[in-house]
């Protein structure tokens, strides 16, 4: 079936309290998707944000972001006292002020914990039994806060830094209340997430999640399972991940994530990866694996280098990993983010796995028909976008494109004025050959560069955009219904 969807991260919803949440506005967005005949809601990673508030540098591959919890739902269910006036009121509704939101949300969630954790003891115990990761994550977070939130590899007590059993037990006792709080928060997040997921699924809407291939250096994953990563005896990475110079950056992108010990993982049956993918399949109906090319070959940069200009390509695990995943977790609904250096080895792995790859319309102009993103030749087994979260909005792209590239887009898509570019791109996307198409909400609304979600290679000013109330209009619903019907989608 040909389907369509929208890329709209939870944080960008127009919820009160300064950030989008899993509350009423999320359900309204699901209703909007259903009414418009859209069958996919794509979100960015939902874990706690890390350096620069990036959801791709999370402290955990399993945990949820407490900032996305809806406090109104807590009050409605009797788990939190007070009124909605207790929620943070932002100065700018179209931007997330993470520091202010975090400060306010922490106060409210701490209050909910003190008022309600006892009543939920049975449910929380069942949650812990089902989610083995949560105890270690809660301990990690509590200890990290105890040491002033410095990186775990710099914790002054090497007993807990190296996870010596006696230190682990001592801190579990010392920080018992803080650990209980973080477990409570994760229970609440999962409850709200799965309630929303059921609501979407009952309406035929699939939740499409994003899973970064790597984990953050400063994460519960690296602290709990250092054997999985290329770390030295002091738990410092030997080499880190990135990509060489490309379309986005002349210095490349130095992500800084520790690399995997793939030989060790293969020797141990890829157990860590099986559990990670099992967790993702529980959270999402579809899983976008970010930087899929890293499974075929990955770019390694020596730790401490200032940029990613100097590095080397190393062979990844290839099909051996996916043979194991297919055996242990049959039916995984994976989308391969195959942007970047798609060499023969990457293509062979994609062909073997059979996963849909990606096409990005805004990459498709000014370089001839040999460009794999040029319109008119997308494979059916692919998922196509006007742009991704790393791209500029279509309007801003058109405003800043060079003349040759813009003229090519105008000729192929049939528009003359830059302001008409978003509508022309969306129309062309729905008409393309890909079985699935996804439009970032910013492009549906025709927004400019201020609404861009992320500029790769930069910190500060990213992940901030929020949709304004009143954007989900009847006219937009009717427009999408028309696009779906005329292109046999939905």
């Amino acid at each position: 079936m040909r389907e369509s969807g929208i890329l709209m991260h939870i944080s960008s919803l127009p919820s009160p309290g300064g950030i989008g949440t899993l509350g009423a506005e999320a359900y309204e967005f699901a209703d909007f998707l259903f009414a418009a005949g859209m069958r996919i809601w794509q979100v960015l990673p939902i874990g706690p944000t890390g350096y620069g508030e990036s959801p791709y540098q999370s402290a955990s591959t399993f945990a949820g972001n407490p900032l996305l919890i809806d406090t109104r739902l807590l009050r409605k269910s009797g788990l939190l006292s007070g009124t909605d006036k207790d929620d943070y009121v932002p100065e700018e509704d179209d931007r997330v002020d993470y520091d202010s939101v975090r400060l306010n949300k922490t106060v409210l969630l701490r209050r909910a914990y003190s008022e309600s954790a006892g009543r939920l003891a049975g449910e929380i115990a069942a949650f812990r039994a089902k989610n083995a990761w949560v105890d270690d994550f809660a301990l990690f977070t509590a200890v990290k806060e105890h040491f002033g939130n410095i990186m775990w590899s710099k914790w002054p007590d090497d007993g807990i830094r190296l996870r010596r059993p006696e230190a682990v037990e001592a801190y579990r006792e010392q920080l018992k209340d803080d650990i209980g709080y973080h477990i409570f928060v994760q229970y609440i997040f999962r409850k709200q997430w799965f309630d929303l997921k059921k609501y979407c699924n009952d309406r035929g809407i699939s939740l499409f999640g994003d899973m970064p291939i790597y984990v953050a250096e400063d994460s519960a994953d690296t602290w709990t399972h250092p054997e999985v990563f290329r770390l030295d005896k002091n738990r410092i990475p030997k080499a880190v991940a990135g990509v060489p110079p490309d379309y986005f950056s002349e210095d490349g992108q130095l992500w800084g994530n520790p690399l995997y010990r793939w030989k060790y993982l293969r020797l141990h049956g890829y157990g860590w990866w099986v559990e990670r993918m099992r967790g993702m399949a529980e959270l999402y109906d579809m899983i976008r694996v970010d930087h899929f090319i890293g499974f075929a070959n990955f770019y390694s940069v020596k730790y401490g280098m200032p940029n990613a200009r100097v590095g080397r390509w190393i062979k990844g695990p290839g099909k051996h990993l996916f043979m194991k995943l297919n055996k242990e977790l049959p039916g995984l609904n994976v989308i391969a983010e195959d942007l970047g250096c798609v060499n023969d080895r990457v293509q062979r792995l994609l062909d073997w796995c059979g996963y849909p790859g990606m096409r990005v319309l805004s990459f498709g102009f000014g370089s001839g028909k040999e460009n794999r993103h040029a319109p008119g030749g997308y494979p059916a087994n692919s998922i196509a976008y006007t742009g991704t979260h790393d791209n500029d909005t279509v309007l801003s792209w058109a405003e800043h494109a060079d003349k040759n590239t813009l003229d090519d887009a105008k000729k192929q898509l049939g528009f003359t004025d830059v302001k008409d570019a978003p509508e022309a791109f969306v129309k062309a996307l729905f008409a393309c050959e890909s079985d699935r198409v996804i439009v970032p909400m910013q492009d549906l609304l025709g927004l400019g560069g201020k609404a861009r979600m992320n500029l790769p290679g930069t910190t500060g000013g990213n992940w901030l955009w929020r949709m304004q109330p009143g954007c989900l209009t009847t006219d937009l619903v009717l427009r999408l219904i028309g696009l779906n019907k005329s292109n046999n989608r939905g």
Side-chain angles (χ1 to χ4, degrees):
M1 173 186 280
R2 285 163 60 81
E3 296 179 315
S4 59
I6 296 176
L7 169 55
M8 176 71 169
H9 193 40
I10 303 296
S11 66
S12 295
L13 291 166
S15 311
I19 193 170
T21 69
L22 298 168
E25 292 70 25
Y27 289 82
E28 290 169 8
F29 192 74
D31 289 340
F32 164 76
L33 291 170
F34 177 73
M38 312 295 275
R39 294 292 171 255
I40 303 170
W41 180 356
Q42 182 175 351
V43 298
L44 302 181
I46 57 174
T49 56
Y51 182 67
E53 302 299 346
S54 172
Y56 293 87
Q57 293 287 346
S58 180
S60 171
T61 61
F62 297 99
N65 186 351
L67 302 187
L68 305 183
I69 291 174
D70 190 82
T71 51
R72 294 166 300 170
L73 288 177
L74 294 181
R75 296 186 189 97
K76 187 176 180 180
S77 57
L79 299 178
L80 175 64
S81 63
T83 70
D84 292 350
K85 292 181 179 180
D86 294 337
D87 292 334
Y88 168 67
V89 178
E91 294 182 8
E92 294 183 273
D93 282 341
D94 65 343
R95 316 287 280 175
V96 180
D97 180 349
Y98 281 95
D99 289 340
S100 297
V101 169
R102 184 175 290 107
L103 183 64
N104 177 255
K105 189 84 66 160
T106 299
V107 169
L108 297 179
L109 291 177
R110 284 279 183 181
R111 183 192 301 170
Y113 170 64
S114 65
E115 293 174 348
S116 305
R119 286 188 283 140
L120 297 173
E123 292 93 329
I124 292 173
F127 167 69
R128 291 174 65 185
K130 185 179 178 182
N131 297 274
W133 56 270
V134 74
D135 281 5
D136 276 325
F137 169 75
L139 174 61
F140 168 84
T141 308
V143 175
K144 187 173 170 62
E145 290 173 347
H146 175 73
F147 288 127
N149 284 311
I150 62 175
M151 291 181 63
W152 73 262
S153 58
K154 297 180 180 179
W155 289 349
D157 183 345
D158 65 353
I160 190 64
R161 174 161 47 85
L162 300 177
R163 285 185 59 86
R164 294 192 176 111
E166 64 277 10
V168 168
E169 291 309 309
Y171 278 96
R172 284 196 193 279
E173 180 59 31
Q174 180 183 346
L175 303 176
K176 181 167 51 178
D177 189 62
D178 290 331
I179 292 169
Y181 163 72
H182 291 296
I183 293 173
F184 169 82
V185 167
Q186 290 306 309
Y187 163 77
I188 293 296
F189 178 91
R190 290 256 168 160
K191 176 70 168 60
Q192 292 192 0
W193 175 264
F194 285 115
D195 285 348
L196 177 63
K197 184 176 186 296
K198 183 178 186 303
Y199 188 85
C200 290
N201 292 168
D202 287 348
R203 284 150 185 79
I205 298 166
S206 297
L207 280 179
F208 182 12
D210 200 335
M211 188 195 79
I213 184 174
Y214 296 117
V215 305
E217 178 186 355
D218 188 22
S219 67
D221 307 282
T222 54
W223 179 65
T224 307
H225 296 286
E227 71 281 359
V228 169
F229 305 94
R230 295 181 63 192
L231 309 177
D232 65 20
K233 64 180 181 180
N234 295 313
R235 304 295 196 261
I236 303 299
K238 297 177 180 179
V240 295
V243 292
D246 60 9
Y247 173 87
F248 291 113
S249 173
E250 63 182 14
D251 285 332
Q253 297 177 46
L254 186 63
W255 298 334
N257 308 83
L259 298 171
Y260 295 106
R261 294 176 62 199
W262 285 117
K263 290 182 179 178
Y264 171 91
L265 283 161
R266 183 175 180 177
L267 185 64
H268 291 80
Y270 297 108
W272 185 88
W273 266 99
V274 169
E275 291 310 307
R276 186 182 188 192
M277 293 301 290
R278 193 191 309 278
M280 295 302 99
E282 183 182 37
L283 289 169
Y284 308 119
D285 303 299
M286 302 165 58
I287 307 164
R288 175 187 181 270
V289 179
D290 192 46
H291 196 61
F292 185 86
I293 66 175
F295 294 115
N297 41 230
F298 57 92
Y299 194 64
S300 173
V301 181
K302 186 177 179 181
Y303 186 75
M305 295 293 285
N307 56 53
R309 286 187 177 183
V310 179
R312 65 190 183 104
W313 287 101
I314 302 174
K315 286 184 178 181
K319 66 181 183 181
H320 298 101
L321 169 62
F322 295 97
M323 290 171 65
K324 182 67 174 181
L325 292 177
N326 289 341
K327 179 181 178 181
E328 297 291 332
L329 304 169
L332 280 176
N333 194 355
V334 171
I335 309 298
E337 188 273 286
D338 56 344
L339 307 178
C341 302
V342 182
N343 57 25
D344 289 344
R345 182 173 170 81
V346 174
Q347 192 58 56
R348 287 195 300 271
L349 180 59
L350 281 167
D351 292 343
W352 185 88
C353 289
Y355 298 149
M358 289 175 55
R359 297 294 185 271
V360 181
L361 195 55
S362 57
F363 287 161
F365 304 101
S367 56
K369 289 294 184 182
E370 69 279 1
N371 183 341
R372 67 197 292 263
H373 300 285
Y378 294 176
N381 187 36
S382 65
I383 186 164
Y385 295 77
T386 53
T388 74
H389 64 274
D390 283 334
N391 293 108
D392 207 345
T393 66
V394 166
L395 178 59
S396 184
W397 175 92
E399 290 171 341
H400 296 95
D402 63 78
K403 185 177 185 303
N404 175 64
T405 301
L406 182 58
D407 286 347
D408 187 23
K410 288 179 176 179
K411 180 180 179 181
Q412 293 201 57
L413 302 188
F415 68 98
T416 56
D417 197 308
V418 164
K419 67 179 176 58
D420 297 324
E423 184 175 356
F425 269 65
V426 171
K427 184 177 179 181
L429 188 77
F430 273 74
C432 80
E433 303 88 342
S434 298
D435 285 339
R436 297 177 177 129
V437 297
I438 302 287
V439 188
M441 194 66 205
Q442 295 96 314
D443 289 342
L444 275 180
L445 299 175
L447 301 180
K450 188 180 179 183
R452 181 173 185 162
M453 202 62 172
N454 181 49
L455 178 61
T458 67
T459 54
N462 296 319
W463 320 109
L464 301 179
W465 175 72
R466 298 186 68 208
M467 181 175 71
Q468 292 299 284
C471 287
L472 306 180
T473 64
T474 301
D475 285 347
L476 184 55
V477 169
L478 294 174
R479 177 187 167 202
L480 291 172
I481 289 174
L483 285 168
N484 280 315
K485 286 186 175 179
S486 61
N487 294 287
N488 194 29
R489 296 188 184 277

